[in-house]
Amino acid sequence: MKNIKNRAALILIVIALIGSMVLILSSCMQTNSPSDTNNRVLTVQVNQSLGTGSKTIVPLSGVDVVVYDSRSNKLINSGKTLINGSVKFDIQAVPIIGQSITVMANYNNQPQSKSCTLCVDTNLVFVFDTTYITPLTCANLNKSDSLIFTDETGSRRLHQNNPVGINEYLACKSIPNDAANTDSIIATIPPLAAPFSYRSISIDNIFLQSSAQTVKIKPGSTLNICIAASTAAIGTFNTPAISIQLSCSASKGTYTIYPSALVVAPECNCTNMQTILIAEANAIKLGTFIERTDLVYTNNLSCDVTINQVSFSGSGAWTIESPTFPVSVAKGQKLSIKAKFTAVKVGKNTDVLKLNISPAGSTSCSLEIDYTGNGCTGACPQISDNRIFYSTFSTKNLIDTLSNRSDNRVMVSLTNVIPPINSKATSSYYVKNPDSSCTQVVVSLSILPGTDKDQYYQQYYSVSPSQLTLNPGETGSFDIIFTAPNLTDFKNIVNVRQPDLSKRTTADSAFNIVVQLQSPSCLQKINATAVISSLPSLSPIINLRAYNQITFLKPVAETEVYSFGNDARTILYAPGGGPAANPPVLGDIYISAKDNIPKPGITCEDTLKSVNNSVKMKVWSNWNPAVNSEADFTDVSKVMTLVNADANFKTGYTTNPVFKPNLAIGNVIAFQLNSFTYALMFIRRVDVGTEPSSSQQSGIEFRTIYPIYMIP
């Protein structure tokens, strides 16, 4: 509880800022909860009312909308409405106390503007009528118009010192120069007298200084002038008239604007207020609590109000400690509420407080306050090897076998060649700090000795990274990496472990460790094993069909190749789909055969070829099909004894294709992939347009032994 109380002091500092923000909230329009803590989404909807008194509203597309900072006059963003009449702006880096903005829309040379403090995601709506402002011509520069100031509701009665935090209302006029004019119009904008001031002056959405000046309006361009009427003083303000002197070539004229602003004393009219969102940033462990005090209401009315609690419902996690309702709030005073959050469930705990505000002698209004906080259990981290199924840290050790071969073995490294081949096997794991965790968690990873009696685990294993720092809901990953020793070191290790060859077991070739994951209060261990083999791998049975061959029952050719080390053939495709290029450019080997179409003189004999002549081949002469069978080939140790006894195994390879009679059942084809890497292939079946399937393709069926390392 001590830490929670200490956090309360920091929260009170934030409350002071939030209190300032609440003062400004009433000047925002329709709002939503912010989707991002630093950015705000401003949605502007532009509609048109069809005729005087018409209730028909239609959206307007293609309307220019400009957003700029009310204080600096700096352009923030601009855009055009879509077919639904709306345009969205993502306003970046909004301060916690909000940002004062002015939004201007211009339709039919009728500019409209609205100002608000952008403190949450905000929606603004503009409604234009069907009036069209006729552009000026050089022949007629004299014009007069009224400029009437209204509030957010359309009322001409502007309340003193409103909108709160802004204290002024805007009205705009446009002066368009007819595109048919051949000359620019020069406009001399005069100074203004209080309570009026220029808020923005722009030509075609290019903002100029907001003061008296002379500007040039080119043909087809529009001068927009937005004027602010201050609500600091009460009164009727309609003089003096604003006379803008115009000249075009030799013609002169005056555009006269008659401003009209009626500022009245604040009336005790209460209107429903937007919902206030109060969210506790810290997750609270179930059964514990935190207290906070928030400013929720400032009485800006001209009379005292009485506030009653209508309801308080939801999860039951939040309770009101003070004040006791009903409560009176005098004119100009504020209401703060002290609430206690006791987490009752994991995740979001929300309660809604509804208040009724009753001004003296006037209609009441409502205020809703949504309290939200997150409950947690301090749960242990979770671990997974596939990022789909997670298990919580426990005392039960996980079991893992690292391998880089299909037989769950790790091939020895080959370090005496250039470049050296470091045989590695890696297991990847994922650790998640669940949402139900209360705080950030640090998971330390270390390697402990396994069941081996020696210390080789320290030399060949590593874990990366050695530490994970995760916030609630975050996931991190780590790798267990085993790098196999070379053949000489491996033999020495096995000899030390078990000198008697007749007593050796798989355990003598195994390297075992324990990977320990430690968080402040939770522990998980992984028993990791890697078994070394100096013998190459035996592949499963693989069927490789003739490359690009067409049969009557296979009208679309298949483009199959094989790469040593794979457990299946690979089908190549062109970039846009369909068969790949012929001959292939990827893989190690392929089978070539003519199309299986029964015509005189056409045969479908198989030919084994090297892709791009990258692999050399020969029929292995030390293998006698009359004596050796497939069962002998699957005994890799026996085969390697024959290889090591063959003095000519590393010679006699060419890129020449292998075909009948050498490409025959029972034969073994040897391959040289580079100066020290070899492979063997046992031919199980040869299909010359006779594959035992409905397609009747050509091809071979085989098994391989790979990789066979032979030092040059």
Side-chain angles (χ1 to χ4, degrees), residues 415-438:
T415 57
N416 52 354
V417 296
I418 300 175
I421 299 175
N422 289 313
S423 178
K424 294 187 177 184
T426 301
S427 279
S428 297
Y429 285 87
Y430 304 90
V431 178
K432 178 167 65 176
N433 187 16
D435 293 330
S436 55
S437 173
C438 293

Side-chain angles (χ1 to χ4, degrees), residues 230-269:
S230 171
T231 58
I234 297 173
T236 300
F237 305 96
N238 50 26
T239 57
I242 304 169
S243 297
I244 301 175
Q245 302 302 317
L246 304 176
S247 63
C248 179
S249 187
S251 301
K252 296 183 181 299
T254 302
Y255 193 113
T256 305
I257 300 175
Y258 297 98
S260 177
L262 174 62
V263 182
V264 299
E267 299 168 346
C268 208
N269 293 327

Side-chain angles (χ1 to χ4, degrees), residues 522-647:
C522 305
L523 180 69
Q524 177 67 65
K525 293 182 178 180
I526 303 172
N527 293 345
T529 298
V531 180
I532 300 295
S533 176
S534 59
L535 296 176
S537 299
L538 175 68
S539 77
I541 297 172
I542 299 169
N543 184 19
L544 181 64
R545 299 186 181 98
Y547 191 89
N548 208 49
Q549 184 188 45
I550 296 176
T551 74
F552 275 121
L553 298 175
K554 197 71 175 179
V556 179
E558 290 183 325
T559 43
E560 299 180 0
V561 298
Y562 178 70
S563 300
F564 289 100
N566 292 345
D567 288 341
R569 63 180 180 263
T570 300
I571 301 178
L572 304 180
Y573 295 96
N582 185 24
V585 295
L586 299 175
D588 290 331
I589 57 174
Y590 69 103
I591 295 294
S592 176
K594 294 181 179 180
D595 291 343
N596 187 13
I597 301 174
K599 291 183 180 180
I602 299 294
T603 61
C604 305
E605 296 290 345
D606 293 353
T607 302
L608 178 62
K609 293 185 176 182
S610 169
V611 175
N612 291 330
N613 291 329
S614 59
V615 175
K616 296 180 179 181
M617 303 175 284
K618 72 175 182 178
V619 177
W620 189 26
S621 58
N622 271 32
W623 184 268
N624 186 351
V627 177
N628 301 115
S629 65
E630 181 178 356
D632 296 316
F633 188 81
T634 59
D635 187 342
V636 178
S637 178
K638 181 177 180 179
V639 173
M640 290 306 299
T641 299
L642 293 175
V643 168
N644 293 326
D646 183 0

Side-chain angles (χ1 to χ4, degrees), residues 444-447 461-467 478-481 513-517:
S444 299
L445 296 96
S446 57
I447 295 177
Y461 274 102
S462 63
V463 175
S464 179
S466 60
Q467 181 174 288
F478 69 93
D479 293 328
I480 304 174
I481 305 165
I513 62 164
V514 175
V515 177
Q516 178 173 280
L517 290 80

Side-chain angles (χ1 to χ4, degrees), residues 664-703:
I665 296 175
N667 273 358
V668 171
I669 311 299
F671 300 86
Q672 185 184 49
L673 283 78
N674 54 45
S675 61
F676 55 83
T677 307
Y678 299 81
L680 295 174
M681 172 188 289
F682 179 84
I683 308 299
R684 300 184 77 251
R685 195 179 78 225
V686 179
D687 300 321
V688 183
T690 59
E691 182 187 15
S693 69
S694 60
S695 61
Q696 295 183 345
Q697 292 170 274
S698 300
I700 62 173
E701 190 175 83
F702 59 90
R703 302 187 78 168

Side-chain angles (χ1 to χ4, degrees), residues 481-515:
I481 305 165
F482 176 75
T483 303
N486 61 36
L487 183 59
T488 300
D489 292 340
F490 173 60
K491 288 181 177 180
N492 291 336
I493 292 171
V494 173
N495 286 333
V496 170
R497 288 177 171 177
Q498 181 49 265
D500 190 341
L501 183 63
S502 64
K503 295 181 180 180
R504 287 179 185 171
T505 65
T506 302
D508 297 316
S509 301
F511 292 74
N512 305 296
I513 62 164
V514 175
V515 177

Side-chain angles (χ1 to χ4, degrees), residues 105-125:
N106 196 336
Y107 176 69
N108 276 352
N109 293 327
Q110 298 182 73
Q112 289 187 22
S113 66
K114 294 179 182 289
S115 294
C116 75
T117 299
L118 190 67
C119 35
V120 290
D121 292 350
T122 300
N123 303 328
L124 294 179
V125 179

